[in-house]
Amino acid sequence: MTDELKRIIWQQVAAIPRGKVATYGQIARLCGYPGYARYVGTTLKQLPGDSALPWHRVINARGQIVFAEGSAACQRQRDRLQREGVEVKGTLISLRRYQWDGIACNGNPQN
DNA sequence: GTTGTGACTACCA
DNA sequence: ATGGTAGCCACAA
């Protein structure tokens, strides 16, 4: 099951439009697994460094990059976002303009 | 079986 | 706005 869930998570993350962002909880809900926000993070963490998945478009519910402001990971994510036109101040992102209102889950197994 | 640990959240003081 | 706290869930010791 968790294997399946990972697949769906990847799918949803891949579905985030360029220049938009979504939160961990949002992704979890879109997958049909509300409450699995934490697991979304865990899953993204396991991604290989050369993965093509737009993991940088995933942020926390407060609208910020989860990494500490100075960290390399944070800078990497911020660069990728800004390159897509997303405005990032420190770790903060302007959700009003960039947050993605995702719709249904493409690959929801059950249902 | 229990315990500790996160790329998380929602609440409450 | 800010910090602490208590749920949350899979996973590894």
Side-chain angles (χ1 to χ4, degrees):
Chain A
M1 173 275 242
T2 58
D3 236 12
E4 187 66 12
L5 179 51
K6 281 187 194 173
R7 183 181 68 75
I8 305 172
I9 290 175
W10 294 332
Q11 213 171 314
Q12 288 303 326
V13 172
I16 304 174
R18 202 167 179 291
K20 296 275 185 173
V21 297
T23 73
Y24 294 96
Q26 218 170 26
I27 295 298
R29 281 192 301 275
L30 286 168
C31 290
Y33 290 83
Y36 279 63
R38 218 158 188 157
Y39 190 65
V40 171
T42 311
T43 299
L44 293 185
K45 181 181 186 178
Q46 300 169 337
L47 285 173
D50 55 3
S51 171
L53 222 73
W55 54 270
H56 55 281
R57 302 190 190 138
V58 184
I59 61 180
N60 68 17
R62 302 189 321 210
Q64 321 179 250
I65 291 176
V66 294
F67 307 109
E69 179 156 4
S71 69
C74 175
Q75 292 185 29
R76 192 156 53 246
Q77 182 167 11
R78 195 181 50 216
D79 286 343
R80 291 200 182 193
L81 285 174
Q82 294 182 328
R83 218 150 65 120
E84 299 185 349
V86 177
E87 185 182 333
V88 187
K89 297 175 180 176
T91 62
L92 189 59
I93 285 149
S94 313
L95 293 183
R96 293 306 175 86
R97 281 185 282 181
Y98 308 112
Q99 188 168 33
W100 177 48
D101 310 8
I103 326 166
C105 174
N106 323 347
N108 200 328
Q110 70 269 356
N111 314 343

